[in-house]
Amino acid sequence: MLGADEFISSPPRKTVRFGGTLTEILLKYEKGDATDFELLKHQLSDPDIKIINWLHEFRASVAYLTKELGQLVNILLKLPWLRRSREVVEEYLGFLGNLVSAQTVHLRPCLRMIVSQFVPPRITIREDDVDISDSDDDDENISENFDTCHRALQTVARYVPSTPQFLMPILVEFFPFINKSERTLECYVHNLLRVTVYLPTLRLQILELIIEKLLKLDVSTPQQDIEDAEETANNCASEEKSTEEGLFDMEEDEDGKGNKVVSPSIERMAHPLAERLDILMTILFSYIRDVCHVDGKLNISNTKDLYRDLVSVFDKLILPTHASCHVQYFMFYICSFKLGFAEAFLDHLWKKLQDPNNPSVIRQTAGSYIGSFLARAKFIPIVTVKACLDLLVNWLHKYIDNQDKGANAYCDVALHGPFYSTCQAVFYTLIFRHKQLLDGNLRKGLSYLQSLNFERIVMCQLNPLKICIPSVVNLFAAITRKYQLVFCYTIIERNNRLLIPVVRSGTGGDLVQTCTNPLDSFFPFDPYILKRSKKTIDPMYQFWEELSAEDLENLKKPIEKGTSEDEDDDFLKGETPQNDGVVEIAPNSYESHTRSPVSSIGSPADCYVPYPL
């Protein structure tokens, strides 16, 4: 028993009901008496309310919660139910199920409430009516809360079969802006992918949504910007380290076993948008791996279904997008699981390339993907490379048959864009794969390459050596000269001497173009530079092997006619030697003449190969 003073100073006890039962209050409100109803809303808005008994009554009275009581339902949906006891959570889930089954008019508000919980809660500190911080809430139960949200969504979907069609627009609406924290984006994307597990009809749309957002991030962070940011960060770190070492005798951190400990900051990308993209690509790769593998073994059926969805997204979003750097690697990754998927992807691109009904830009991009994929994918065997080269080269010869003597038999990207793109794909593939094509049996390999008849392609009136990226042309010329497949230098010199312009016809008259990349082409599988997610790609990726000065000399020396197939050829055997005289040489997608030292790592850079005298 409280004393008089204690009773006066103590707060009033929270009561469960007043003015009768919930049903009575709602019936009074229908008759125009809103007094108890307003008191009910006020009490439900109290953050300290004990809600479990109210939830029990609301669960039994959902028939009265019509559209007119939407304001009351919104108050119930704002209750902080996730961070309550298990009894409250279970009662709330039961209430949601009863509500949407009896009053589907409240389906959208319920879905919006659940989806809003797909990101970590935020703590905002205000000082003098100004937000001074907006940081993630370090909630230890965040994973458990997400699990409960997915239970709630499954409960709603079980009672209302049409949930997916109402849910998808809400998922789009609530997708965080790219300037939100990495943790916010990470949690939301992860939760979206979890939805696809129990609502598989939404998988394609959710993948489209996620990849569309990733693509916007990707094109907003050009590779050169990422590399510049990394270089700046490395320089700053080196300066700081030098200063510290001058003041203190710093020792490297070691774990209990004496191993060096890698700081988590080393894996962070210096560019903030690249950091977000890296995290999200890591999640996407993990999702693809987990869907396609069951108990550690590849599930062909699951992989086929996911492959179809990803190809659909690729066609809709990736193929029409110019010069994305990283997002397209989801196709590279899923194709690595089994050769059949890689061959299916190549066949898909081939159909895009040869179909005259497709826009020219799509056909050209398909050619770029074919060349880059064949060159960079370690998991594609040489027999598949040869089959693709046969298809591409035969198509080129047929194209020349149809065009080389007609009215359009002149150099014009607008007329012959797919042809030039295919030529570049063939040249690029040969640059990366010529050692494998010639490995083991030099005579047989040379016979195969001679059967491709590169001379006819190079010498045709369409003049592909003028249009393709100069770095590709230079290395292709060096390799084909060495093996006496075709002598390109006469044409290259003539092109350079005459400075043949590329003429485009338009409504405003003819436009003369003299840029070094008239195709505006790129190699979509250039080196992947995001630090975390590249660990997934690197084991299956063919990096460019830097050519030594000795290799460059070998390129200038043609093989002798009498060379035996069993005779050693230094250029064909093993990896290129590493020495102090390393020179990098090969094509670059993004710049025709120059690359920074950082950007040349792991990728062939431009280099001028001297013409043989």
Side-chain angles (χ1 to χ4, degrees):
M1 181 70 68
L2 294 174
D5 293 340
E6 292 175 327
F7 176 79
I8 293 173
S9 62
S10 65
R13 181 173 299 178
K14 303 289 183 182
T15 56
V16 172
R17 54 171 61 86
F18 44 79
T21 63
L22 175 62
T23 303
E24 292 171 349
I25 294 172
L26 298 179
L27 288 174
K28 285 183 182 180
Y29 180 72
E30 287 182 2
K31 295 176 181 179
D33 184 358
T35 305
D36 289 346
F37 183 76
E38 294 300 324
L39 288 172
L40 171 64
K41 290 197 298 180
H42 179 74
Q43 187 170 6
L44 289 174
S45 301
D46 189 330
D48 297 325
I49 184 177
K50 186 177 180 182
I51 63 173
I52 188 166
N53 292 331
W54 278 117
L55 286 175
H56 185 72
E57 288 202 46
F58 274 108
R59 185 177 177 181
S61 306
V62 291
Y64 298 96
L65 299 178
T66 57
K67 182 179 180 180
E68 289 72 23
L69 295 179
Q71 188 180 9
L72 177 60
V73 172
N74 286 336
I75 293 174
L76 292 169
L77 294 179
K78 291 178 181 177
L79 292 174
W81 61 281
L82 272 176
R83 292 157 191 84
R84 298 296 183 97
S85 65
R86 177 176 294 275
E87 291 76 17
V88 170
V89 169
E90 295 300 327
E91 193 66 36
Y92 197 88
L93 292 176
F95 162 70
L96 282 179
N98 287 10
L99 178 64
V100 296
S101 60
Q103 304 287 349
T104 53
V105 69
H106 299 304
L107 175 62
R108 279 193 182 92
C110 288
L111 293 177
R112 291 173 64 87
M113 180 275 295
I114 296 170
V115 173
S116 69
Q117 304 290 338
F118 278 3
V119 295
R122 309 284 287 179
I123 295 177
T124 302
I125 302 174
R126 297 180 66 85
E127 188 174 282
D128 297 330
D129 295 327
V130 176
D131 292 347
I132 62 172
S133 72
D134 188 15
S135 58
D136 287 311
D137 183 9
D138 294 328
D139 191 343
E140 295 179 356
N141 300 319
I142 189 70
S143 180
E144 183 179 343
N145 291 342
F146 288 152
D147 291 342
T148 305
C149 286
H150 288 287
R151 281 187 59 203
L153 193 52
Q154 291 176 71
T155 299
V156 172
R158 186 166 61 249
Y159 284 107
V160 185
S162 60
T163 292
Q165 71 184 73
F166 292 95
L167 175 62
M168 196 60 219
I170 295 171
L171 296 178
V172 174
E173 177 189 350
F174 276 83
F175 203 104
F177 293 111
I178 59 174
N179 61 349
K180 292 293 184 181
S181 71
E182 294 95 341
R183 179 64 173 160
T184 297
L185 288 164
E186 177 185 10
C187 290
Y188 194 79
V189 169
H190 187 270
N191 283 315
L192 285 188
L193 292 172
R194 285 187 65 178
V195 171
T196 67
V197 176
Y198 54 85
L199 293 179
T201 57
L202 285 182
R203 183 168 74 181
L204 177 57
Q205 296 177 69
I206 287 176
L207 287 172
E208 280 185 10
L209 171 61
I210 293 172
I211 291 172
E212 180 185 13
K213 300 297 183 180
L214 292 180
L215 202 54
K216 288 180 179 178
L217 270 174
D218 201 4
V219 298
S220 300
T221 52
Q223 189 165 352
Q224 191 62 52
D225 290 357
I226 298 175
E227 291 170 342
D228 290 345
E230 289 297 318
E231 186 176 8
T232 302
N234 289 338
N235 290 339
C236 292
S238 298
E239 291 175 5
E240 291 176 3
K241 185 177 180 181
S242 299
T243 303
E244 289 174 350
E245 287 177 347
L247 296 174
F248 305 101
D249 183 14
M250 301 295 289
E251 294 183 358
E252 292 181 334
D253 293 334
E254 296 184 351
D255 60 15
K257 298 180 181 179
N259 300 319
K260 294 179 181 178
V261 178
V262 179
S263 170
S265 62
I266 294 177
E267 288 197 342
R268 285 188 64 86
M269 301 297 298
H271 195 296
L273 294 184
E275 172 68 9
R276 289 164 172 78
L277 181 61
D278 193 10
I279 292 171
L280 299 184
M281 287 301 295
T282 302
I283 293 173
L284 182 59
F285 288 152
S286 297
Y287 172 78
I288 293 172
R289 182 192 63 238
D290 291 346
V291 169
C292 296
H293 293 81
V294 177
D295 297 328
K297 296 181 179 179
L298 183 67
N299 184 293
I300 299 298
S301 177
N302 290 355
T303 309
K304 281 183 179 178
D305 292 341
L306 182 59
Y307 172 84
R308 293 189 190 100
D309 286 344
L310 290 178
V311 166
S312 176
V313 177
F314 176 84
D315 286 348
K316 183 176 180 179
L317 299 176
I318 304 296
L319 205 54
T321 302
H322 179 67
S324 58
C325 300
H326 301 96
V327 179
Q328 60 265 25
Y329 270 89
F330 67 79
M331 287 305 306
F332 193 96
Y333 183 49
I334 194 170
C335 288
S336 71
F337 293 159
K338 192 174 180 63
L339 178 59
F341 295 110
E343 292 177 339
F345 184 51
L346 286 166
D347 182 62
H348 180 76
L349 293 170
W350 165 241
K351 290 175 180 175
K352 293 279 184 185
L353 171 62
Q354 66 171 342
D355 186 357
N357 295 317
N358 285 327
S360 180
V361 66
I362 296 296
R363 298 174 68 190
Q364 290 174 217
T365 305
S368 297
Y369 270 93
I370 291 173
S372 194
F373 192 58
L374 289 174
R376 295 294 194 171
K378 275 186 179 179
F379 47 84
I380 297 181
I382 199 63
V383 63
T384 303
V385 174
K386 290 174 71 174
C388 290
L389 283 177
D390 288 339
L391 277 176
L392 295 172
V393 171
N394 287 337
W395 184 84
L396 289 175
H397 285 300
K398 289 180 181 178
Y399 193 94
I400 294 171
D401 289 340
N402 295 329
Q403 299 289 339
D404 208 27
K405 294 181 180 179
N408 295 327
Y410 57 90
C411 183
D412 189 345
V413 175
L415 287 175
H416 310 296
F419 171 80
Y420 294 125
S421 180
T422 305
C423 286
Q424 186 160 277
V426 170
F427 299 165
Y428 190 71
T429 302
L430 183 70
I431 290 168
F432 272 85
R433 296 284 196 161
H434 70 275
K435 289 185 180 181
Q436 293 171 276
L437 289 167
L438 296 168
D439 192 27
N441 190 325
L442 181 59
R443 183 173 296 171
K444 186 176 180 181
L446 285 175
S447 177
Y448 169 73
L449 291 179
Q450 288 165 356
S451 72
L452 297 178
N453 196 0
F454 286 126
E455 183 174 7
R456 182 169 186 255
I457 296 171
V458 167
M459 299 291 185
C460 74
Q461 293 296 315
L462 303 183
N463 197 0
L465 297 185
K466 177 62 182 177
I467 300 301
C468 295
I469 293 175
S471 52
V472 175
V473 170
N474 285 336
L475 192 50
F476 173 77
I479 292 172
T480 53
R481 178 188 179 277
K482 175 177 177 59
Y483 297 105
Q484 300 185 21
L485 300 172
V486 59
F487 191 81
C488 302
Y489 291 110
T490 303
I491 299 173
I492 294 173
E493 287 177 341
R494 185 185 67 195
N495 288 338
N496 291 338
R497 183 172 60 250
L498 298 178
L499 294 176
I500 301 174
V502 178
V503 180
R504 291 178 182 270
S505 299
T507 55
D510 291 343
L511 176 67
V512 178
Q513 179 177 323
T514 58
C515 70
T516 56
N517 186 7
L519 268 178
D520 197 22
S521 56
F522 73 110
F523 303 116
F525 296 117
D526 262 1
Y528 191 98
I529 61 174
L530 302 179
K531 294 180 181 178
R532 294 181 187 85
S533 47
K534 79 190 297 287
K535 295 176 183 177
T536 301
I537 299 300
D538 281 359
M540 61 195 70
Y541 187 79
Q542 179 61 58
F543 289 94
W544 175 251
E545 295 178 357
E546 297 175 347
L547 297 181
S548 66
E550 181 182 352
D551 287 334
L552 289 175
E553 286 299 319
N554 284 334
L555 279 179
K556 299 177 200 174
K557 298 175 184 177
I559 60 172
E560 297 179 4
K561 289 289 185 181
T563 300
S564 166
E565 63 183 74
D566 298 323
E567 193 172 332
D568 287 347
D569 187 302
D570 292 338
F571 188 70
L572 299 179
K573 289 195 171 291
E575 296 187 358
T576 55
Q578 304 294 320
N579 57 31
D580 295 334
V582 168
V583 179
E584 294 180 66
I585 158 177
N588 160 32
S589 321
Y590 301 98
E591 299 177 38
S592 303
H593 293 303
T594 60
R595 276 181 79 106
S596 69
V598 176
S599 64
S600 65
I601 296 174
S603 180
D606 293 322
C607 177
Y608 173 71
V609 180
Y611 298 154
L613 299 175

